[in-house]
Amino acid sequence: MGKKTKGGGERASIARVSEALVQMFSSEPEKNFTLKQIFKLLHLDKHPKKMIAMQVLEEMEWDDYISRTAAGSFKLNRKEQVQTGTFIRRGNGRNSFQPDEGGKPVLVTERNSMFALNGDKVKVAYLARKRNHTREAIVTEIIERACEQFAGTLRVEKDIAFLKVDGSTIIHDILIPKSKLKKGVTGDKAVVRITEWPTEDRYHVKGEVIDILGKQGENNAEMHAILVKYNLPYKYPAAVEKAANEIPAEITQEEIDRREDFRETTTFTIDPHDAKDFDDALSIKKLKDNLWEVGVHIADVSHYVKEGSIIDREAQKRATSVYLVDRTIPMLPERLSNFICSLRPDEEKLTYSCVFNMNEKGEVKKWRLVHTVIKSDRRFCYEEVQTKIDAEKFNRKLAYKKANGKDPQQIEDYYPYNEVLNEEFCGKENDFRWECLVLDFLAKKLREKRFKNGAVKFDREELRFDIDEDGKPVRCYYKKSLDANQLIEEFMLLANRTVAEMIGAEHKDQDRDSGTKQKTKAKTLPYRIHDSPDPEKLEILSSFIRRFGYKMKSGGTKGETSRAFNNLMDDVNGKPEQKLIETLALRAMMKAKYSVHNIGHYGLAFQYYTHFTSPIRRYPDTMVHRLMTRYQEGGRSANENKYEDLCEHSSTMEQIAAQAERDSIKYKMVEFMAEYVGEEYDAHISGITSHGLYCEIDENHCEGFISVHDLEGDYYEFDERNYCMVGRRRHNRYQLGDPIRIRVARADVDQRQLDFVEAEE
């Protein structure tokens, strides 16, 4: 018998895998299969076989034989031809429909959109699919509009006026009768409410001005326009402000007597230099037997904001504070967020506290959750604490090297806790040097243990701007998390995890009649959950990094996967491809969200985790405070469905707030680079789409776009699997992460668009 050719063997393998997959899906039509389960059931243990299976799955999905769920698993496709879901509008006209039941988005061209806008709840019918064509749908009904007011720039003419909407949310200008202009003139930034939507025989959209934000280009007007775009509030309702102003700031002796008193215990806050709302503070006190009492004190917002009140309803609707480049739009009125609840120095404040007794290994020997009253001794910013830590590190490393003739290998070598805890360096006289160093030492122990248990190392840098008094950016830079930031982070993580474990972990209570211990169901609590990475994206990542000489196991347990992530992050640290691989690794991760159904937090490697530590700026934390108070008083478990709805709303609002923040960063980035049109810079390719290349300038980290039409010398096609653009004739390749010399071609502040072209050699 003759040998099979390589191509013939591959075709035979594809046929065998296809047949096995069809049989698997058909035998269990209601079951969702993860990629990991598929590999195991079909005994695909080698990488080439796994890649063949993924190729076949893609073809089966394209043919609509199977569909992909939101969680990334696969299921036999039994979709109806008519479905409801969310309309997603694109600036290029290739809109899509996201089914409510999950799965991949479906293309909706402009002619089939029925003038639906981004976020609208719609009903669609699937169109007959042509061979080698993408599946399409047509909108048949708009069930619910996502938004009815829009921000943009006015253009007033002799007989009529228009609003040119920011971004690509509406493809047509909004027609405004001159009687509905509210004294707006050409060039004003305005908010317009839609009064008439398009129909089949009338294409224009009609509206009325409800607010004038200011002149186009003015900082306040542009920032408020971003908030309007995402249907976020830019001012507080007068009735809510009035209710907040009526809340007394004084703390009665009766209330103090009900609480544990920490006013004489050394306590301070550590926050960004420009922070105004201080919702967490740390206290520390030396105990006997080499133990320290560390208090994590959180502003007791729920004492002031009663459930169902007008302030609570507004906070629930907002769900989170929004952080734009130059301002914070608080969840709570300023009187509460910056004054009454804020843990300001030298003021008595009501708090809800996790108090830990810890040893020198960072182990919690005992803890309690108590309502407290505190008085912060000092307001630190991160930079001040970092200076103390850096000075101590430098001096101790120098002393160690002098004594031992070599550099220290681990923290205990140069940072022995019993030397750090010298009482003469304690207290206000030494600006709490001792307290800061002890907390830093314990935080490092907590962090070390967390990574040892499988937490994922992603210390991403954040883009920041220095803004002048007019709101104009004068510098942009990346800010990285340092020891002082991590000090606060570790104690907040400890408090959040411990509170979640208190409720979520199964408890055994002794039955009075039988004397046996019975398991009791955990009470309702909003958890912060984070699912395992997408298996398909992990497989692609594993395949991609091989070209750089790295290996990563894409299967296995959660712990094995997280260790593989961390090993990869350590391996790429400081290498030219670091940002590229970090970006791809992040894309493989799922998004964290809130839910009463706990699945653990993959990224932190915690089985139980919640948000307890920021009730001034996050509504889920306020919910947790109320529930913990209720349960400590012996209350019954709260309604699960009610709190799951609140969790879903909070998760949605968190994502919307993050989008608004990114928009404000993009606006300031374009505004900053508008001064440098025509200048050339060294950059690297930070993203690739079928339309072109995203490039990040090395010097200032501003990102712009090179259209595929501006890539000269060839016709370029996008290779999605390998994250590159390849020339059809000369095979020139633009790879994610490649260095590139660019010239700033255009900075369109109105459209938030920064365009580059490749600089001539």
Side-chain angles (χ1 to χ4, degrees), residues 260-268 282-288 290-295 297 355-358 368 421 423 426 434-435 438-439 442:
E260 191 169 332
D261 195 340
F262 275 78
R263 288 175 295 177
E264 298 303 318
T265 304
T266 299
T267 305
F268 45 79
L282 294 176
S283 69
I284 184 164
K285 183 168 66 176
K286 183 77 167 65
L287 303 176
K288 295 179 181 178
N290 284 333
L291 292 177
W292 293 271
E293 180 189 82
V294 178
H297 306 284
V355 184
F356 302 98
N357 289 3
M358 304 177 71
R368 62 192 187 275
L421 308 185
E423 296 294 336
C426 152
W434 172 85
E435 290 84 351
V438 174
L439 288 169
L442 294 174

Side-chain angles (χ1 to χ4, degrees), residues 79-97:
K79 281 184 178 177
E80 301 293 335
Q81 290 304 303
V82 175
Q83 284 193 305
T84 59
T86 304
F87 186 83
I88 303 167
R89 177 166 287 284
R90 307 287 185 199
N92 58 10
R94 293 184 64 82
N95 313 308
S96 60
F97 164 77

